[in-house]
Amino acid sequence: KAGVTQTPRYLIKTRGQQVTLSCSPISGHRSVSWYQQTPGQGLQFLFEYFSETQRNKGNFPGRFSGRQFSNSRSEMNVSTLELGDSALYLCASSSSIRTYEQYFGPGTRLTVT
Amino acid sequence: QQQVKQSPQSLIVQKGGISIINCAYENTAFDYFPWYQQFPGKGPALLIAIRPDVSEKKEGRFTISFNKSAKQFSLHIMDSQPGDSATYFCAASNLYSGGGADGLTFGKGTHLIIQP
């Protein structure tokens, strides 16, 4: 089975812009979660989508949003980018039966200048 | 509030030795405790996980020890190899009875170096 894929792998944006990141889960997985990884804060949970509905949300401002499509693919959007949004954004997928077993993609490295 | 505290931050072990990484949690609702391994430029990979109904789980050279009363769990890597050099993260989550789970709460990570 192919793993979780994320596009693009690298992205450079300017402060104030918005960005959309994409994630394709493992085939058959219906749950997609997003995490932010930074050297200072470590790995932090952003939100989880299951069957096109946001099921869980972490403690991030409303500038961070997401959605999931009927084929389970997910996108994450960050509006009005700030320098502190520079991070590795990781997507993880899991099956309906074992939702807690999360399998991560390689991440998208976002740099905000 | 750091809900999962991981130590040490960095660890150097000789090849063939035992690597031990410790984590402590605060939230008693946590009932799923995975460990992840991350290599540079890669996403975290699920290594091994444990539920509170058992005190130990072993998979190959990797063992999780779990102490519910102390709210602590640890990862032991036996016969450590240079290829084990990576960053290791402990995590915790609360599972829902109807399916689903909270997002994972991660420790800050341990940078492990196995010297040949």
Side-chain angles (χ1 to χ4, degrees):
Chain A
K1 258 185 187 178
V4 177
T5 58
Q6 293 187 244
T7 56
R9 292 292 313 278
Y10 303 92
L11 206 49
I12 300 175
K13 288 287 188 179
T14 303
R15 191 171 47 184
Q17 288 185 317
Q18 73 154 11
V19 66
T20 299
L21 312 180
S22 181
C23 171
S24 293
I26 293 171
S27 178
H29 283 190
R30 293 169 60 192
S31 170
V32 173
S33 298
W34 289 88
Y35 292 81
Q36 181 195 65
Q37 185 174 25
T38 60
Q41 298 300 314
L43 280 149
Q44 293 184 285
F45 171 69
L46 280 154
F47 32 66
E48 181 215 1
Y49 284 86
F50 180 82
S51 292
E52 303 178 63
T53 302
Q54 187 180 87
R55 187 162 66 173
N56 268 314
K57 189 176 187 305
N59 190 25
F60 276 81
R63 299 185 298 107
F64 292 82
S65 63
R67 59 177 176 168
Q68 187 180 34
F69 302 95
S70 58
N71 62 359
S72 294
R73 191 177 68 85
S74 177
E75 287 182 348
M76 187 192 110
N77 184 274
V78 188
S79 62
T80 319
L81 283 166
E82 301 176 359
L83 295 178
D85 296 333
S86 294
L88 181 67
Y89 288 90
L90 292 157
C91 166
S93 78
S94 56
S95 69
S96 308
I97 298 173
R98 300 171 77 88
T99 309
Y100 46 90
E101 283 188 0
Q102 297 189 21
Y103 297 90
F104 285 83
T108 294
R109 172 73 63 187
L110 171 65
T111 302
V112 182
T113 61
Chain B
Q1 181 189 8
Q2 186 183 352
Q3 294 195 53
V4 179
K5 293 184 179 179
Q6 183 171 346
S7 63
Q9 269 190 299
S10 59
L11 181 62
I12 299 175
V13 175
Q14 295 297 314
K15 179 183 174 182
I18 303 173
S19 304
I20 302 173
I21 304 171
N22 301 298
C23 282
Y25 63 97
E26 300 168 4
N27 187 347
T28 55
F30 287 150
D31 55 2
Y32 172 68
F33 303 90
W35 285 89
Y36 282 82
Q37 177 190 58
Q38 186 175 29
F39 293 105
K42 305 285 187 182
L46 179 60
L47 204 54
I48 186 173
I50 198 167
R51 299 290 308 276
D53 52 342
V54 296
S55 60
E56 186 175 280
K57 183 175 181 180
K58 184 177 180 180
E59 289 184 3
R61 296 185 295 110
F62 300 91
T63 299
I64 299 179
S65 297
F66 184 79
N67 185 329
K68 188 174 180 178
S69 61
K71 292 188 286 184
Q72 295 175 347
F73 58 110
S74 60
L75 176 70
H76 295 231
I77 306 174
M78 312 299 287
D79 187 27
S80 299
Q81 299 297 312
D84 297 329
S85 297
T87 301
Y88 291 80
F89 294 93
C90 63
S93 180
N94 172 31
L95 306 189
Y96 307 150
S97 57
D102 282 339
L104 291 167
T105 298
F106 283 88
K108 292 290 191 183
T110 296
H111 184 48
L112 174 65
I113 296 173
I114 307 300
Q115 288 188 332

